[in-house]
Amino acid sequence: MVHLSEAQEKLKKYREDNERKSKEVLELWDSSVKHKIKQLGNDRYLVLEQVLIAACDCNRIDVAKVCLQMLLNKFPDSLRVRRLAITILEAEEKYDEALESLDKLIKADETNAQTRRHKVAILKAKCQISEAIKELVEYLKKFMVDQEGWQELSNLYLLEGEYAKSAYCMEEMILHNSQNHLYHQRNADIRYTQGGAENLELARAHYSYAILLNPNNIRALYGLYLTARSLMSSQKNNQTKKNTFKKIATLSLKRVEHMYSEKKQLNKKNQLYVLETLMGSLHLSLN
Protein backbone atom coordinates (compact mmCIF):
# COMPACT_ATOMS: atom_id res chain seq x y z
CA MET A 1 0.00 0.00 0.00
CA VAL A 2 1.29 3.44 -0.96
CA HIS A 3 1.46 6.01 1.84
CA LEU A 4 -1.11 8.82 1.57
CA SER A 5 1.50 11.58 1.17
CA GLU A 6 3.23 9.62 -1.59
CA ALA A 7 -0.07 9.00 -3.36
CA GLN A 8 -0.89 12.71 -3.10
CA GLU A 9 2.45 13.64 -4.67
CA LYS A 10 1.94 11.17 -7.52
CA LEU A 11 -1.52 12.51 -8.27
CA LYS A 12 -0.21 16.07 -8.19
CA LYS A 13 2.58 15.16 -10.61
CA TYR A 14 0.07 13.60 -13.02
CA ARG A 15 -1.94 16.84 -12.95
CA GLU A 16 1.07 19.07 -13.43
CA ASP A 17 2.34 16.94 -16.32
CA ASN A 18 -1.16 16.88 -17.82
CA GLU A 19 -1.21 13.08 -17.81
CA ARG A 20 -4.46 11.15 -17.44
CA LYS A 21 -2.91 7.89 -16.15
CA SER A 22 -6.45 6.74 -15.42
CA LYS A 23 -5.61 3.21 -14.34
CA GLU A 24 -2.84 4.39 -12.00
CA VAL A 25 -5.07 7.11 -10.54
CA LEU A 26 -7.77 4.58 -9.68
CA GLU A 27 -5.22 2.22 -8.13
CA LEU A 28 -4.04 5.04 -5.86
CA TRP A 29 -7.64 5.89 -5.03
CA ASP A 30 -8.53 2.33 -4.08
CA SER A 31 -5.36 1.59 -2.14
CA SER A 32 -4.57 4.84 -0.34
CA VAL A 33 -6.88 7.79 -0.90
CA LYS A 34 -10.50 6.60 -0.76
CA HIS A 35 -10.87 6.38 3.00
CA LYS A 36 -8.53 9.29 3.81
CA ILE A 37 -9.73 11.89 1.34
CA LYS A 38 -10.48 14.46 4.06
CA GLN A 39 -6.86 14.38 5.18
CA LEU A 40 -5.78 15.99 1.90
CA GLY A 41 -7.17 19.39 2.87
CA ASN A 42 -8.25 21.70 0.04
CA ASP A 43 -6.26 19.55 -2.38
CA ARG A 44 -8.94 16.89 -2.07
CA TYR A 45 -11.27 18.67 -4.49
CA LEU A 46 -8.69 18.56 -7.26
CA VAL A 47 -8.09 14.90 -6.45
CA LEU A 48 -11.83 14.16 -6.56
CA GLU A 49 -12.08 15.76 -10.00
CA GLN A 50 -9.04 13.83 -11.17
CA VAL A 51 -10.41 10.51 -9.88
CA LEU A 52 -13.84 11.20 -11.37
CA ILE A 53 -12.40 11.66 -14.85
CA ALA A 54 -10.20 8.58 -14.44
CA ALA A 55 -13.22 6.56 -13.31
CA CYS A 56 -15.16 7.61 -16.42
CA ASP A 57 -12.20 6.57 -18.58
CA CYS A 58 -12.17 3.12 -16.95
CA ASN A 59 -15.96 2.71 -16.78
CA ARG A 60 -15.97 2.84 -13.00
CA ILE A 61 -19.18 4.82 -12.87
CA ASP A 62 -19.80 3.98 -9.21
CA VAL A 63 -16.53 5.66 -8.22
CA ALA A 64 -17.26 8.65 -10.47
CA LYS A 65 -20.66 9.19 -8.83
CA VAL A 66 -19.17 9.02 -5.33
CA CYS A 67 -16.65 11.73 -6.28
CA LEU A 68 -19.36 13.81 -7.93
CA GLN A 69 -21.53 13.74 -4.82
CA MET A 70 -18.65 14.94 -2.66
CA LEU A 71 -18.02 17.81 -5.06
CA LEU A 72 -21.72 18.73 -5.21
CA ASN A 73 -21.88 18.85 -1.43
CA LYS A 74 -19.12 21.48 -1.45
CA PHE A 75 -19.93 23.32 -4.70
CA PRO A 76 -23.68 22.84 -5.41
CA ASP A 77 -23.88 25.71 -7.93
CA SER A 78 -20.55 25.22 -9.70
CA LEU A 79 -20.67 25.08 -13.51
CA ARG A 80 -17.44 23.09 -13.44
CA VAL A 81 -19.01 20.40 -11.27
CA ARG A 82 -22.08 20.34 -13.51
CA ARG A 83 -19.78 19.69 -16.47
CA LEU A 84 -18.32 16.75 -14.56
CA ALA A 85 -21.84 15.40 -14.08
CA ILE A 86 -22.29 15.61 -17.86
CA THR A 87 -19.02 13.70 -18.29
CA ILE A 88 -20.55 10.86 -16.29
CA LEU A 89 -23.67 10.91 -18.50
CA GLU A 90 -21.40 10.74 -21.53
CA ALA A 91 -19.52 7.76 -20.05
CA GLU A 92 -22.89 6.03 -19.54
CA GLU A 93 -23.72 6.84 -23.20
CA LYS A 94 -26.72 8.89 -22.14
CA TYR A 95 -25.97 11.35 -24.90
CA ASP A 96 -29.40 12.97 -25.15
CA GLU A 97 -29.41 13.81 -21.44
CA ALA A 98 -25.86 15.09 -21.72
CA LEU A 99 -26.76 17.36 -24.65
CA GLU A 100 -29.79 18.69 -22.83
CA SER A 101 -27.66 19.56 -19.81
CA LEU A 102 -25.00 21.16 -22.01
CA ASP A 103 -27.58 23.35 -23.72
CA LYS A 104 -28.62 24.65 -20.30
CA LEU A 105 -24.99 25.42 -19.42
CA ILE A 106 -24.44 27.20 -22.73
CA LYS A 107 -27.57 29.27 -22.18
CA ALA A 108 -26.30 30.22 -18.72
CA ASP A 109 -22.85 31.20 -20.03
CA GLU A 110 -22.44 31.59 -23.80
CA THR A 111 -18.77 32.56 -23.43
CA ASN A 112 -17.75 29.21 -21.95
CA ALA A 113 -15.62 27.65 -24.69
CA GLN A 114 -15.11 24.32 -22.93
CA THR A 115 -18.85 23.66 -22.70
CA ARG A 116 -19.36 24.31 -26.40
CA ARG A 117 -16.45 22.07 -27.34
CA HIS A 118 -17.88 19.35 -25.12
CA LYS A 119 -21.14 19.54 -27.05
CA VAL A 120 -19.30 19.10 -30.36
CA ALA A 121 -17.51 16.04 -28.96
CA ILE A 122 -20.80 14.42 -27.94
CA LEU A 123 -22.41 15.11 -31.32
CA LYS A 124 -19.39 13.53 -32.98
CA ALA A 125 -19.67 10.50 -30.67
CA LYS A 126 -23.29 10.13 -31.79
CA CYS A 127 -22.07 10.24 -35.43
CA GLN A 128 -24.13 13.37 -36.02
CA ILE A 129 -21.39 14.93 -38.11
CA SER A 130 -23.47 17.61 -39.82
CA GLU A 131 -24.82 18.79 -36.45
CA ALA A 132 -21.30 18.77 -35.00
CA ILE A 133 -20.09 20.89 -37.93
CA LYS A 134 -22.91 23.38 -37.46
CA GLU A 135 -22.17 23.70 -33.74
CA LEU A 136 -18.43 24.04 -34.32
CA VAL A 137 -18.94 26.74 -36.96
CA GLU A 138 -21.00 28.75 -34.46
CA TYR A 139 -18.32 28.18 -31.84
CA LEU A 140 -15.54 29.44 -34.13
CA LYS A 141 -17.50 32.60 -34.89
CA LYS A 142 -16.97 33.50 -31.23
CA PHE A 143 -13.57 31.89 -30.67
CA MET A 144 -11.77 32.44 -33.96
CA VAL A 145 -8.24 31.93 -32.60
CA ASP A 146 -8.87 28.36 -31.41
CA GLN A 147 -6.49 26.39 -33.64
CA GLU A 148 -7.67 23.04 -32.30
CA GLY A 149 -11.22 24.05 -33.20
CA TRP A 150 -10.21 24.80 -36.81
CA GLN A 151 -8.33 21.51 -37.01
CA GLU A 152 -11.33 19.56 -35.73
CA LEU A 153 -13.62 21.36 -38.18
CA SER A 154 -11.25 20.44 -40.99
CA ASN A 155 -11.40 16.78 -39.94
CA LEU A 156 -15.19 16.85 -39.75
CA TYR A 157 -15.45 18.32 -43.25
CA LEU A 158 -13.19 15.53 -44.50
CA LEU A 159 -15.58 12.97 -43.02
CA GLU A 160 -18.32 14.60 -45.09
CA GLY A 161 -16.16 14.77 -48.25
CA GLU A 162 -16.14 18.59 -48.19
CA TYR A 163 -12.53 18.99 -49.30
CA ALA A 164 -12.72 22.66 -50.26
CA LYS A 165 -14.12 23.63 -46.85
CA SER A 166 -11.58 21.42 -45.11
CA ALA A 167 -8.77 23.16 -47.00
CA TYR A 168 -10.18 26.54 -45.98
CA CYS A 169 -9.92 25.50 -42.32
CA MET A 170 -6.29 24.50 -42.85
CA GLU A 171 -5.59 27.89 -44.40
CA GLU A 172 -6.98 29.52 -41.25
CA MET A 173 -4.57 27.42 -39.20
CA ILE A 174 -1.66 28.45 -41.43
CA LEU A 175 -2.60 32.09 -40.87
CA HIS A 176 -2.30 31.51 -37.13
CA ASN A 177 0.98 29.61 -37.39
CA SER A 178 2.66 29.78 -40.78
CA GLN A 179 5.83 28.05 -39.54
CA ASN A 180 4.17 24.76 -38.68
CA HIS A 181 5.25 22.32 -41.39
CA LEU A 182 2.48 19.86 -40.50
CA TYR A 183 -0.19 22.45 -41.35
CA HIS A 184 1.30 22.97 -44.81
CA GLN A 185 1.61 19.22 -45.33
CA ARG A 186 -2.00 18.65 -44.29
CA ASN A 187 -3.26 21.40 -46.57
CA ALA A 188 -1.25 19.93 -49.44
CA ASP A 189 -2.71 16.45 -48.76
CA ILE A 190 -6.22 17.86 -49.05
CA ARG A 191 -5.44 19.84 -52.21
CA TYR A 192 -3.85 16.80 -53.84
CA THR A 193 -6.94 14.73 -52.99
CA GLN A 194 -9.18 17.38 -54.55
CA GLY A 195 -7.28 17.15 -57.81
CA GLY A 196 -7.34 19.53 -60.75
CA ALA A 197 -4.51 21.67 -62.08
CA GLU A 198 -5.01 24.58 -59.67
CA ASN A 199 -5.23 22.36 -56.59
CA LEU A 200 -2.19 20.35 -57.66
CA GLU A 201 -0.16 23.55 -58.01
CA LEU A 202 -1.25 24.59 -54.52
CA ALA A 203 -0.36 21.14 -53.21
CA ARG A 204 3.09 21.39 -54.79
CA ALA A 205 3.65 24.80 -53.19
CA HIS A 206 2.59 23.68 -49.71
CA TYR A 207 4.54 20.41 -49.88
CA SER A 208 7.60 22.40 -50.91
CA TYR A 209 7.19 24.84 -48.04
CA ALA A 210 6.66 21.98 -45.57
CA ILE A 211 9.96 20.47 -46.75
CA LEU A 212 11.65 23.86 -46.44
CA LEU A 213 10.49 24.08 -42.82
CA ASN A 214 11.35 20.45 -42.10
CA PRO A 215 13.60 18.69 -44.65
CA ASN A 216 12.99 15.36 -42.87
CA ASN A 217 9.24 15.35 -43.45
CA ILE A 218 9.12 12.17 -45.51
CA ARG A 219 5.36 12.37 -46.05
CA ALA A 220 5.74 15.80 -47.62
CA LEU A 221 8.58 14.48 -49.82
CA TYR A 222 6.46 11.58 -51.00
CA GLY A 223 3.50 13.91 -51.53
CA LEU A 224 5.68 16.26 -53.57
CA TYR A 225 6.76 13.30 -55.71
CA LEU A 226 3.17 12.26 -56.39
CA THR A 227 2.08 15.82 -57.10
CA ALA A 228 4.98 16.44 -59.49
CA ARG A 229 4.18 13.21 -61.32
CA SER A 230 0.53 14.22 -61.70
CA LEU A 231 1.50 17.66 -63.00
CA MET A 232 4.03 16.09 -65.36
CA SER A 233 1.33 13.96 -66.96
CA SER A 234 -1.11 16.86 -67.33
CA GLN A 235 -1.89 17.86 -70.90
CA LYS A 236 -2.21 21.51 -69.85
CA ASN A 237 1.50 21.89 -69.13
CA ASN A 238 4.08 22.52 -71.83
CA GLN A 239 7.28 20.53 -72.20
CA THR A 240 9.36 23.03 -70.20
CA LYS A 241 7.08 22.70 -67.19
CA LYS A 242 6.96 18.93 -67.56
CA ASN A 243 10.76 18.79 -67.45
CA THR A 244 10.71 20.92 -64.30
CA PHE A 245 8.20 18.62 -62.62
CA LYS A 246 10.27 15.62 -63.68
CA LYS A 247 13.30 17.11 -61.91
CA ILE A 248 11.21 17.74 -58.78
CA ALA A 249 9.99 14.15 -58.81
CA THR A 250 13.53 12.85 -59.26
CA LEU A 251 14.93 14.92 -56.41
CA SER A 252 12.07 13.96 -54.10
CA LEU A 253 12.54 10.27 -54.84
CA LYS A 254 16.29 10.46 -54.26
CA ARG A 255 15.74 12.28 -50.95
CA VAL A 256 13.32 9.59 -49.76
CA GLU A 257 15.78 6.86 -50.74
CA HIS A 258 18.60 8.71 -48.97
CA MET A 259 16.57 9.01 -45.76
CA TYR A 260 15.87 5.28 -45.70
CA SER A 261 19.53 4.59 -46.36
CA GLU A 262 20.63 6.95 -43.55
CA LYS A 263 18.51 5.22 -40.96
CA LYS A 264 20.04 1.87 -41.89
CA GLN A 265 16.75 0.16 -41.23
CA LEU A 266 16.90 -1.87 -44.42
CA ASN A 267 19.57 -3.20 -46.70
CA LYS A 268 19.89 -1.73 -50.15
CA LYS A 269 17.82 -4.38 -51.85
CA ASN A 270 14.94 -4.03 -49.43
CA GLN A 271 15.09 -0.23 -49.63
CA LEU A 272 14.49 -0.37 -53.34
CA TYR A 273 11.68 -2.86 -52.84
CA VAL A 274 9.96 -0.60 -50.29
CA LEU A 275 10.31 2.44 -52.53
CA GLU A 276 8.87 0.58 -55.50
CA THR A 277 5.94 -0.50 -53.33
CA LEU A 278 5.38 3.06 -52.10
CA MET A 279 5.32 4.34 -55.63
CA GLY A 280 2.55 1.89 -56.44
CA SER A 281 3.95 0.77 -59.79
CA LEU A 282 3.66 4.28 -61.16
CA HIS A 283 6.34 3.57 -63.77
CA LEU A 284 7.81 7.04 -63.75
CA SER A 285 10.97 7.12 -65.82
CA LEU A 286 13.63 9.10 -64.05
CA ASN A 287 16.28 8.64 -66.69
Side-chain angles (χ1 to χ4, degrees):
M1 179 183 293
V2 179
H3 193 271
L4 180 61
S5 60
E6 185 181 348
Q8 185 178 8
E9 284 301 316
K10 284 186 176 181
L11 291 171
K12 183 179 179 180
K13 188 175 188 306
Y14 293 156
R15 293 196 302 273
E16 290 176 346
D17 294 342
N18 199 27
E19 294 181 306
R20 297 279 276 241
K21 297 276 188 180
S22 299
K23 184 178 178 180
E24 291 83 352
V25 169
L26 285 178
E27 287 176 353
L28 291 171
W29 168 261
D30 290 330
S31 65
S32 306
V33 180
K34 179 167 57 175
H35 299 298
K36 301 178 182 179
I37 186 68
K38 292 183 179 180
Q39 298 181 28
L40 298 180
N42 290 332
D43 197 34
R44 68 180 181 272
Y45 302 115
L46 291 174
V47 171
L48 285 170
E49 181 181 30
Q50 186 178 9
V51 173
L52 186 154
I53 294 172
C56 289
D57 288 343
C58 298
N59 200 29
R60 292 280 301 277
I61 306 301
D62 55 328
V63 174
K65 289 183 176 179
V66 168
C67 295
L68 177 64
Q69 190 56 54
M70 292 183 185
L71 290 168
L72 284 172
N73 291 339
K74 180 64 177 178
F75 310 104
D77 300 321
S78 169
L79 292 179
R80 182 167 175 172
V81 175
R82 289 169 67 183
R83 282 201 305 269
L84 291 173
I86 293 170
T87 300
I88 295 176
L89 291 174
E90 187 180 1
E92 294 178 304
E93 297 186 0
K94 296 179 180 178
Y95 296 129
D96 292 334
E97 292 181 42
L99 287 172
E100 184 178 347
S101 299
L102 280 170
D103 285 335
K104 292 179 181 178
L105 291 182
I106 293 171
K107 187 176 181 180
D109 183 9
E110 293 186 356
T111 63
N112 193 310
Q114 190 172 355
T115 304
R116 289 178 172 272
R117 292 172 69 174
H118 197 168
K119 183 177 180 180
V120 173
I122 292 178
L123 289 170
K124 185 179 178 182
K126 291 184 68 179
C127 295
Q128 296 180 356
I129 305 302
S130 58
E131 288 82 357
I133 289 174
K134 182 179 178 181
E135 184 66 30
L136 192 50
V137 167
E138 290 301 315
Y139 165 81
L140 287 170
K141 287 180 181 179
K142 295 179 173 64
F143 306 94
M144 298 181 67
V145 297
D146 187 343
Q147 294 185 47
E148 290 183 359
W150 285 109
Q151 186 169 11
E152 181 62 26
L153 184 58
S154 175
N155 293 335
L156 292 175
Y157 276 133
L158 285 178
L159 291 176
E160 293 290 283
E162 298 277 4
Y163 296 110
K165 293 180 180 179
S166 180
Y168 173 82
C169 295
M170 292 308 306
E171 289 169 358
E172 285 288 337
M173 294 176 66
I174 290 172
L175 285 175
H176 285 106
N177 186 359
S178 61
Q179 300 303 304
N180 190 320
H181 68 100
L182 295 176
Y183 290 174
H184 289 279
Q185 174 208 298
R186 181 70 165 173
N187 192 22
D189 288 342
I190 297 169
R191 293 294 185 181
Y192 176 80
T193 304
Q194 278 186 277
E198 183 178 350
N199 286 317
L200 287 174
E201 284 287 359
L202 287 170
R204 181 189 62 78
H206 282 285
Y207 277 134
S208 298
Y209 199 68
I211 295 166
L212 179 64
L213 294 171
N214 180 11
N216 294 322
N217 187 331
I218 196 166
R219 180 163 176 169
L221 284 164
Y222 182 52
L224 182 60
Y225 165 82
L226 292 177
T227 304
R229 177 191 176 277
S230 297
L231 288 167
M232 193 182 78
S233 61
S234 174
Q235 299 298 322
K236 295 183 179 181
N237 293 318
N238 57 38
Q239 191 59 44
T240 302
K241 284 188 174 182
K242 288 183 178 181
N243 290 336
T244 301
F245 295 138
K246 183 176 180 179
K247 290 178 181 179
I248 293 173
T250 304
L251 291 172
S252 301
L253 182 61
K254 286 183 177 180
R255 177 60 182 160
V256 171
E257 183 178 5
H258 177 68
M259 289 177 67
Y260 272 95
S261 176
E262 268 190 340
K263 292 180 180 179
K264 298 181 179 179
Q265 294 176 342
L266 304 166
N267 60 42
K268 188 173 181 180
K269 181 178 178 181
N270 285 340
Q271 287 174 27
L272 293 173
Y273 172 76
V274 169
L275 288 172
E276 288 171 0
T277 304
L278 285 172
M279 300 317 159
S281 301
L282 294 174
H283 303 298
L284 173 64
S285 174
L286 301 179
N287 298 321

